[in-house]
Amino acid sequence: MPRIDFNQRVTLQKLVQGYGRGGGEETIAAEKTVWGAVEETSMTFKVSSGQMGLCPSLFVHLWRREFADDDYTHCIVGGKPYRIVMTGKSYNDLYVKLLLERG
């Protein structure tokens, strides 16, 4: 198992759609800042994901117990918002890997 350095702060957000005509505005229902390990996606992964209609930007590895509290929908990395597209198994059961898409 490679070493994971949780060296970057990321903010997890749970955005909910408001009610009303036109869907209303999105509001932040939950927010938490945690340490994560941010990785770029490979070109091979981008091409294969593009065939499924995804446009992945980053991977973020987090402690599973920090992510499992709420159903987070977005992640802010370096001041830029990303949408959490998929979650999956990381290197072992203690971590979770998030696939992020810009937007």
Side-chain angles (χ1 to χ4, degrees), residues 11-15 26 72-76 82-84 103:
T11 302
L12 299 170
Q13 290 182 335
K14 178 180 179 180
L15 298 180
E26 287 186 333
Y72 294 107
T73 58
H74 290 75
C75 185
I76 298 175
Y82 294 88
R83 189 168 48 91
I84 299 173

Side-chain angles (χ1 to χ4, degrees), residues 3 11-12 17 32 35 42 48 61 65 74 76 84-85 96 101 103:
R3 178 183 165 144
T11 302
L12 299 170
Q17 189 71 32
K32 181 184 351 182
W35 288 98
S42 67
S48 62
H61 297 271
R65 62 177 150 60
H74 290 75
I76 298 175
I84 299 173
V85 179
V96 64
E101 193 174 78

Side-chain angles (χ1 to χ4, degrees), residues 15-91:
L15 298 180
V16 293
Q17 189 71 32
Y19 297 105
R21 186 175 189 153
E25 294 184 17
E26 287 186 333
T27 57
I28 299 172
E31 185 174 67
K32 181 184 351 182
T33 302
V34 297
W35 288 98
V38 180
E39 296 178 355
E40 295 282 332
T41 57
S42 67
M43 185 55 75
T44 305
F45 186 80
K46 284 185 181 185
V47 170
S48 62
S49 298
Q51 294 171 351
M52 294 185 296
L54 300 174
C55 185
S57 302
L58 297 174
F59 285 122
V60 176
H61 297 271
L62 302 172
W63 290 103
R64 186 174 295 277
R65 62 177 150 60
E66 291 180 337
F67 181 72
D69 295 342
D70 274 309
D71 297 326
Y72 294 107
T73 58
H74 290 75
C75 185
I76 298 175
V77 179
K80 297 177 184 170
Y82 294 88
R83 189 168 48 91
I84 299 173
V85 179
M86 275 192 247
T87 61
K89 185 176 179 182
S90 185
Y91 298 110

